[in-house]
Amino acid sequence: MKNSKRFSTSEWQETPLLSPTELDSYRQLFLGNEAQFALSFINLTQLSTVLLESHLAATYLTNSEQERLATFTFAKRHREWLGGRLTAKKAAMKLLNNGPCPASSYQELSVESHESGRPFLLGSANTNALLPEISISHSGNYAGALAVSGHACGLDLQQVSPKVIAIRERFASPPELALLLAKGDSLGEAQALTLLWSAKESLRKAVNCAPLLGFTEITLLKLQKTAHAGLIGHFSCPRLDSTLRTVFFLLHEDYACAITVISASSPGS
């Protein structure tokens, strides 16, 4: 991901991860013409001053969200939480509005969490539209969110680190790693493992089941390349059913990003 351009002291800028052409391609891949999905990412280094964070919180967050934000005393966690809310609302507004909307509109949406930790949108009395499903992720200097109309979804973002090699037995099998190394273009072991972790985590977020799927309950069976340097993985989850779940994932610089969208009619959704 490239660093964002310069920004004013009162706003924040999105950091595009996928081009408009890529977004259209993957929207068709997952949903055809059934629904829409939108992504939003932010470079958290933008939130480098208390003054800017306070302004954005007052502009974009509801009172209850601002109170929740104030409980985070660790600066990194504070930025991550705020970045997740900013991008979740931005992604949702892309689906709810045909054009630009005033910042005050974002206060009509609140990002809440189920007991499981799964985020969801809650609208104010002025919000009449059916709200999309959302998923939030952050890693390193970035936070992002995915919004999908009428479908469960999962987004995961992971910064590549060699530390993942030491824990590969917890989530990866030798055949899965071999498949990634064979299909991926010049992927290193840490990159392949991070991609696999991110893909499985996005699927765990998208599938609504209890208890949460374990990493070793999800198996990568098939893998294919896309026209835009991404990968499409087909995963089995035997505890749920025999259906193969599709995950799109890509490596962008030193970050892995994975997206899962599940039809409302699919078992386990």
Side-chain angles (χ1 to χ4, degrees):
M1 296 179 188
K2 298 180 180 179
N3 289 337
S4 300
K5 300 177 181 178
R6 294 187 64 84
F7 52 90
S8 71
T9 57
S10 62
E11 275 305 321
W12 65 281
Q13 292 182 342
E14 291 183 273
T15 303
L17 179 64
L18 301 177
S19 70
T21 300
E22 290 171 325
L23 280 173
D24 287 341
S25 174
Y26 301 132
R27 183 179 294 111
Q28 289 296 318
L29 166 69
F30 282 118
L31 301 171
N33 295 318
E34 293 181 28
Q36 293 182 315
F37 77 81
L39 285 163
S40 179
F41 291 92
I42 182 174
N43 183 331
L44 293 173
T45 60
Q46 291 186 54
L47 309 181
S48 58
T49 67
V50 174
L51 179 62
L52 177 58
E53 288 192 43
S54 297
H55 167 79
L56 292 176
T59 304
Y60 287 88
L61 304 187
T62 64
N63 290 335
S64 62
E65 288 175 320
Q66 292 179 53
E67 292 173 0
R68 174 64 173 151
L69 180 64
T71 66
F72 297 108
T73 56
F74 187 42
K76 182 176 183 295
R77 180 61 181 134
H78 191 277
R79 287 193 297 270
E80 290 172 343
W81 197 89
L82 175 58
R85 267 58 192 169
L86 292 175
T87 52
K89 293 188 180 189
K90 176 71 76 172
M93 283 298 185
K94 290 178 182 180
L95 301 185
L96 295 173
N97 293 273
N98 294 324
C101 59
S104 59
S105 299
Y106 293 95
Q107 291 194 357
E108 296 180 4
L109 296 177
S110 178
V111 180
E112 306 291 339
S113 297
H114 292 290
E115 291 184 2
S116 63
R118 187 188 187 103
F120 68 95
L121 290 172
L122 187 64
S124 70
N126 297 324
T127 306
N128 298 319
L130 183 64
L131 299 178
E133 299 287 333
I134 59 170
S135 183
I136 298 172
S137 187
H138 52 75
S139 182
N141 288 331
Y142 296 91
L146 168 67
V148 181
S149 298
H151 298 262
C153 62
L155 170 72
D156 193 66
L157 183 67
Q158 296 289 336
Q159 188 171 21
V160 177
S161 169
K163 294 179 180 179
V164 74
I165 297 175
I167 61 169
R168 60 185 176 186
E169 291 80 8
R170 300 181 187 178
F171 68 94
S173 67
E176 289 176 313
L177 179 57
L179 183 57
L180 271 165
L181 292 175
K183 288 285 187 178
D185 292 326
S186 303
L187 286 177
E189 185 176 7
Q191 293 173 319
L193 287 170
T194 305
L195 281 168
L196 184 61
W197 175 286
S198 189
K200 290 190 177 186
E201 182 65 13
S202 73
L203 185 52
R204 294 171 80 228
K205 290 179 177 181
V207 175
N208 186 17
C209 67
L212 187 67
L213 285 173
F215 282 99
T216 57
E217 291 186 281
I218 305 170
T219 303
L220 174 63
L221 296 180
K222 300 178 182 179
L223 192 64
Q224 63 192 88
K225 297 179 182 179
T226 73
H228 302 292
L231 295 168
I232 301 172
H234 302 280
F235 293 79
S236 69
C237 309
R239 173 152 66 93
L240 299 180
D241 52 53
S242 60
T243 302
L244 292 184
R245 266 74 179 187
T246 301
V247 181
F248 161 71
F249 47 111
L250 79 161
L251 190 67
H252 191 90
E253 297 185 3
D254 61 342
Y255 285 82
C257 179
I259 300 169
T260 303
V261 177
I262 296 179
S263 170
S265 61
S266 296
S269 63

